[in-house]
């Protein structure tokens, strides 16, 4: 636990505490009254209300549209199912900047709807809600569908034989078994949308602002650190409450259920109802997930002879100090470094948490590992500049600053992926190897590593994809001569002109292709025992 604790203390707790203290301390004392002053401001109350309201509506819409797909992937067998599963998951691993760019190309000025019917939906709440459903659709499909595929169908069939209608059997037998998974998925979607930044920053315009966007605005535009610090504390408390509820839900999912091999529960569609449901799900996936990405790719090809892609190689003296295409290689280098850090830190944390002698303090650290996913990435990024500005940790000019921020987000994915596998390793195998004279290092190399190798590769793939798309913290600390892909896309979108817009679409397409390639590799590596992330 030494290295994970030190890593999170230095690069998460310290930067967040530093920026909060900078905002709330004055003349040697704490300005706690500032908290009440900020949260009672009408514009801040509006931000808090919109943040909560849009998260609730986004969660409800995601469940409404994704639960039928969860059933289709869990219970029906049809050609191309594995490929379609990968397609559904692509939006989740995409950076929020790419999701925002895709819906901007679909709903914005000169977008597909604008060209066909003269309708623009960008800078409207509907654009934000649809983009959130697009981004979180796979969370419900994979989380709920993973458990649904393993539920014994004979329980529902027994209820039908006893006279229950299909609706009643589903409501009284299947739904109670799925309820913990549905609740867990809903809480994850709510967490992701409650802390939404990239989507709202691109599609919300000046009208809509979430807590995360308002923290960014107060920090980088208004330079009001005290307001930003208060909003950070509010978000921290809210996210902590959400994670506490989520932890209880996860424990409920682990209660005893009659589970079977998913391969025996999937059957070909039977009857007009199942065929209609399959067709409806395919249509939803085509319109909601595939169409925005297709429009994004098409907009990147609008210029003759790949003009937007060719323009990426030109040096830009305005927004960038280097050619925009340089962001591709910079992002890949940063993501590789961040993945190595995340795998090292997350792997050690997972190994400690999986130990049979792990005490209550160690198990409590498991919940703390999830905080970087919910605490404002903007706060972390700006905290890096404030806290890591003097020896022996003066890293403001160091390239490692960006991978460190990205690894904070990737490490929880490593822990969540490796921990169940490490806990499943039979301890008697380690004991037998030790009795035969193997050193602890050799026991790990010859017993644990072969069993967890696949989980290690999957976790590394997730950490790479997440690091590649990290935006909230990187937008503060990425140097002008080394912008990452998400930062480059956001900066191009903020500048007027068709060329800048086209280059943003081209960079977004490149980022989408890289993330999709990483996902396809993950699909080949993941086990078939569960359908979860």
């Amino acid at each position: 636990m030494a290295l994970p604790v030190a890593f999170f203390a230095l690069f998460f707790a310290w930067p967040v505490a530093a920026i909060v203290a900078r905002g709330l301390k004055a003349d040697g004392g704490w300005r706690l009254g500032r908290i009440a002053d900020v949260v009672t401001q009408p514009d801040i109350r509006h931000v808090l209300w919109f943040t909560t309201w849009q998260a609730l509506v986004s969660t409800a819409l995601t469940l409404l549209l994704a639960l039928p797909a969860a059933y289709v992937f869990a219970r029906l067998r049809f050609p191309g199912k594995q490929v379609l599963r990968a397609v559904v998951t692509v939006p989740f691993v995409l950076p929020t900047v790419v999701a925002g760019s895709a819906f901007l190309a679909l709903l914005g000025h000169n977008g597909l709807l604008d060209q066909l019917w003269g309708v623009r939906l960008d800078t409207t709440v509907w654009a934000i809600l649809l983009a959130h459903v697009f981004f979180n659709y796979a969370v419900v499909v994979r989380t709920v569908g993973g458990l649904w595929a393993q539920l014994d169908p004979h329980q529902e069939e027994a209820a039908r034989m006893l006279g229950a209608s299909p609706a009643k059997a589903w409501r009284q037998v299947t739904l109670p078994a799925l309820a913990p998974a549905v609740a867990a998925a809903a809480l994850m979607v709510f967490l992701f949308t409650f802390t939404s930044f990239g989507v709202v920053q691109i599609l919300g315009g000046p009208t809509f602002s979430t807590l995360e966007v308002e923290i960014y605005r107060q920090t980088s535009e208004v330079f009001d650190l005290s307001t930003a610090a208060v909003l950070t504390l509010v978000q921290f408390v809210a996210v902590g409450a959400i994670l506490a509820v989520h932890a209880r839900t996860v424990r409920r999912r682990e209660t005893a259920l009659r589970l079977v091999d998913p391969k025996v529960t999937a059957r070909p569609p039977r009857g007009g109802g199942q065929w209609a449901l399959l067709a409806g799900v395919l249509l939803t996936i085509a319109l909601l997930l595939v169409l925005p990405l297709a429009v994004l790719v098409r907009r990147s090809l609008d210029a003759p002879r790949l003009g937007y892609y060719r323009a990426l190689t030109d040096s830009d003296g305005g927004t960038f100090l280097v050619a925009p295409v340089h962001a591709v290689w910079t992002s890949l280098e940063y993501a590789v470094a961040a993945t190595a850090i995340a795998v090292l830190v997350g792997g050690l944390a997972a190994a400690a948490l999986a130990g049979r002698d792990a005490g209550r303090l160690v198990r409590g650290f498991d919940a703390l590992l999830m905080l970087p996913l919910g605490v404002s990435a903007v706060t972390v990024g700006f905290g890096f500049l404030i806290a890591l500005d003097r020896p022996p940790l003066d890293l403001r000019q160091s390239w490692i600053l960006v991978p460190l921020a990205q690894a904070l987000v990737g490490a929880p994915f490593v822990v969540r992926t490796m921990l169940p596998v490490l806990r499943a390793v039979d301890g008697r195998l380690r004991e037998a190897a030790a009795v035969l004279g193997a050193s602890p290092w050799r026991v790990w190399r010859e017993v644990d590593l072969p069993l967890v190798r696949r989980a290690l590769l999957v976790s590394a793939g997730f950490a790479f994809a997440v690091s590649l798309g990290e935006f909230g913290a990187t937008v503060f600390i990425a140097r002008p001569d080394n912008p990452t892909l998400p930062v480059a896309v956001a900066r191009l979108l903020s500048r007027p002109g068709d060329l800048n817009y086209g280059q943003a679409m081209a960079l977004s397409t490149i980022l989408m292709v890289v993330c999709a390639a990483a996902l396809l590799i993950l699909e080949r590596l993941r086990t078939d025992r569960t359908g979860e992330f």
Side-chain angles (χ1 to χ4, degrees):
M1 289 297 297
L3 182 61
V5 169
F7 178 80
F8 280 93
L10 285 176
F11 301 117
F12 177 68
W14 186 18
V16 172
I19 192 172
V20 171
R22 179 72 65 92
L24 294 182
K25 289 186 71 174
D27 301 326
W30 291 91
R31 298 186 298 171
L32 298 181
R34 181 62 177 158
I35 297 177
D37 293 338
V38 170
V39 297
T40 56
Q41 294 176 14
D43 55 338
I44 297 299
R45 288 207 309 268
H46 176 74
V47 169
L48 293 172
W49 165 246
F50 177 74
T51 301
T52 305
W53 175 84
Q54 63 82 25
L56 289 171
V57 176
S58 297
T59 302
L61 282 176
T62 305
L63 289 174
L64 179 65
L65 294 174
L67 281 177
Y71 171 82
V72 165
F73 281 102
R75 294 301 198 193
L76 300 185
R77 187 186 305 124
F78 53 92
K81 181 177 177 178
Q82 294 302 321
V83 174
L84 193 63
R85 187 195 300 272
V87 171
V88 166
T89 314
V90 164
F92 180 76
V93 300
L94 287 180
T96 55
V97 171
V98 175
S101 301
F103 276 84
L104 192 64
L106 177 65
L107 307 176
H109 174 65
N110 203 30
L112 183 61
L113 291 186
D114 194 11
Q115 293 177 357
L116 294 178
W117 298 294
V119 175
R120 289 184 57 183
L121 294 178
D122 60 325
T123 68
T124 68
V125 70
W126 280 108
I128 295 173
L129 296 177
L130 289 175
H132 282 162
V133 176
F134 165 87
F135 189 75
N136 294 291
Y137 190 87
V139 175
V140 177
V141 171
R142 302 294 289 265
T143 303
V144 179
L147 179 61
W148 208 336
Q150 293 181 278
L151 290 182
D152 190 349
H154 293 99
Q155 297 176 350
E156 189 171 331
E157 293 171 359
R160 293 286 308 279
M161 292 180 62
L162 293 173
S165 64
K168 186 176 182 180
W170 184 84
R171 188 175 65 252
Q172 295 189 357
V173 177
T174 304
L175 183 58
L178 289 177
V182 174
L187 283 167
M188 283 190 285
V189 173
F190 184 84
L191 176 64
F192 292 147
T193 53
F194 187 83
T195 58
S196 179
F197 177 61
V199 167
V200 181
Q201 178 78 353
I202 292 175
L203 297 175
T207 307
F208 302 104
S209 178
T210 57
L211 264 176
E212 189 87 353
V213 174
E214 188 64 21
I215 292 171
Y216 174 78
R217 191 180 74 86
Q218 295 289 340
T219 302
S220 63
E221 298 178 8
V222 184
F223 304 107
D224 187 349
L225 285 185
S226 64
T227 299
V230 171
L231 295 180
T232 297
L233 288 177
V234 171
Q235 189 179 49
F236 187 85
V237 171
V239 168
I242 294 170
L243 290 177
V245 175
H246 179 244
R248 291 190 62 185
T249 306
V250 170
R251 284 196 295 268
R252 287 180 61 195
R253 290 187 62 192
E254 295 177 349
T255 57
L257 291 171
R258 186 183 300 175
L259 302 180
V260 297
D261 189 342
K263 295 180 180 179
V264 305
T265 63
R267 300 171 181 175
R270 295 178 297 180
Q274 289 190 344
W275 280 108
L277 180 62
L278 176 59
V281 168
L282 294 177
L283 181 62
T284 301
I285 293 174
L287 294 178
L288 182 65
L289 306 185
V290 178
L291 181 60
L293 298 179
V295 172
L296 173 67
V297 175
R298 188 193 68 81
R299 291 301 300 271
S300 73
L301 299 173
D302 275 351
R305 300 174 58 188
L306 301 177
Y308 293 141
Y309 289 91
R310 296 173 62 187
L312 295 177
T313 61
D314 297 334
S315 297
D316 188 331
T319 302
F320 307 108
L321 300 179
V322 294
V325 73
H326 184 72
V328 178
W329 313 116
T330 300
S331 288
L332 292 174
E333 292 169 354
Y334 284 162
V336 169
T339 300
I341 297 171
V343 168
L344 176 62
V345 173
L348 289 174
L353 293 169
R356 289 181 300 173
D357 55 347
R360 181 176 299 179
L361 183 62
V362 174
R363 292 194 298 269
F365 186 64
D366 186 16
L368 296 178
L369 290 172
M370 297 294 292
L371 283 179
L373 297 181
V375 173
S376 170
V378 171
T379 300
V380 174
F382 195 60
F384 269 34
L385 299 180
I386 292 177
L388 307 179
D389 63 342
R390 57 179 61 91
L393 279 177
D394 186 1
L395 302 177
R396 287 177 300 174
Q397 301 301 319
S398 174
W399 67 272
I400 197 64
L401 203 60
V402 174
L404 286 172
Q406 294 173 342
L408 277 174
V409 182
F413 284 89
V414 175
V415 175
R416 294 271 71 79
T417 303
M418 293 192 62
L419 187 56
V421 180
L422 285 170
R423 283 174 172 167
V425 175
D426 192 343
R428 292 173 298 181
L429 297 176
R430 301 188 184 102
E431 295 169 359
V435 169
L436 293 174
S439 64
W441 167 246
R442 188 176 181 184
V443 171
W444 162 255
R445 189 178 69 249
E446 298 189 10
V447 177
D448 290 83
L449 185 58
L451 296 174
V452 303
R453 181 184 291 114
R454 179 174 291 183
L456 183 65
L457 293 174
V458 170
S459 65
F462 271 123
F464 178 81
V466 170
S467 301
L468 197 64
E470 204 287 322
F471 175 62
T474 308
V475 71
F476 273 98
I477 58 181
R479 296 166 53 181
D481 58 341
N482 281 307
T484 63
L485 275 170
V487 172
V489 170
R491 289 180 180 172
L492 286 168
L493 287 174
S494 67
R495 300 180 64 190
D498 182 69
L499 180 60
N500 290 319
Y501 181 83
Q503 289 183 89
M505 297 297 107
L507 279 180
S508 297
T509 301
I510 292 173
L511 189 50
M512 178 186 70
V513 170
V514 174
C515 289
L519 175 66
L520 289 175
I521 294 174
L522 289 180
E523 278 294 315
R524 298 195 63 176
L525 291 175
R526 75 174 185 87
T527 66
D528 289 327
R529 293 175 58 189
T530 68
E532 303 173 18
F533 290 111

